[in-house]
Amino acid sequence: MSGSVQDFEHIRAGLERVRARIAAAAAAAGRDPAAIRLVAVSKTHPAEAVAAAADAGQRDFGESYVQEAAGKIDALAGRDLVWHFIGPIQSNKTRAIAARFHWVHGVDRIKVAERLSAQRPQGLPPLEVCIQVNVSGEATKSGCSPEALPALAEAVARLPRLRLRGLMAIPAPCDDPEAQRRPFRRLRELLEGLRARGLALDTLSMGMSDDLEAAVAEGATVVRIGTAIFGLRPRR
Ligand SMILES: *Cc1c(COP(=O)(O)O)cnc(C)c1O
């Protein structure tokens, strides 16, 4: 849990590099870089690292483990940060997630969505959610299937304390930039399909440190970047 000055400079430099990558990818795609929200994925990194990123102007942070995140959210209360839960959602964690986070990206079944809606505290605005879709076939296990998506999206959109914003995906890692684009394109087409059914959705949460250019080229509005900002994570 050390937060040396050197660590902080590394984070500032990482943020600058990632912002430049987003700007270049947006320019190449003829897109406005301001339409792409950078979520800095701070899982496994200490509150001091989040504070350093916040000092460098970063507002949105992504966390995957509820307990670990709660400590950081408390430590940084008063800084006006936006917290995104991006990990797998266990049913026994929904109450803490609904109380502590602004966004949840990994909703993939109705039971979890119903719990998040029922448990969202009344004093807070609706929880912003994305449905995670499995766009890589058997390669990944979490995420709802493209076939099940329309019914799930319509059910989630009806829940009173959630605001369904769009879709999220974590494609299987892949080195080839052209091949990286395929699952992202698929996710965009699925979003377009839901819009055609009348759902008002504006969010495509896709793209990580190794594939953010491909994601921006296919229309990402949220990229979730950890390693390229904070450095390598210790293995869990
Ligand atoms: C850890 C994580 C990221 C960040 O991955 P990097 O490769 O470090 O950028 C993004 N999205 C999700 C869902 C993650 O779990």
Side-chain angles (χ1 to χ4, degrees), residues 58-110:
Q58 179 62 27
R59 298 264 75 84
D60 289 86
F61 291 90
E63 290 282 340
S64 299
Y65 314 108
V66 180
Q67 206 93 344
E68 179 201 326
K72 291 181 231 181
I73 294 170
D74 287 342
L76 295 158
R79 278 202 182 231
D80 201 24
L81 304 180
V82 180
W83 293 96
H84 300 249
F85 188 78
I86 62 171
I89 307 166
Q90 297 165 270
S91 292
N92 64 345
K93 296 285 169 58
T94 52
R95 184 176 300 279
I97 294 170
R100 311 296 311 251
F101 286 83
H102 302 90
W103 282 72
V104 177
H105 291 242
V107 172
D108 63 357
R109 53 201 197 277
I110 190 63

Side-chain angles (χ1 to χ4, degrees), residues 21 39-45 62-65 85-88 105-106 132 168-170 205-212 223-233:
R21 282 176 63 187
V39 173
V41 177
S42 47
K43 65 185 180 201
T44 78
H45 298 289
E63 290 282 340
S64 299
Y65 314 108
F85 188 78
I86 62 171
H105 291 242
Q132 183 177 352
M168 179 270 217
I170 312 172
S205 170
M206 57 189 198
M208 310 190 353
S209 291
D210 290 336
D211 55 15
L212 90 79
V223 292
R224 309 175 312 267
I225 312 295
T227 309
I229 296 171
F230 294 103
L232 289 173
R233 286 180 291 276

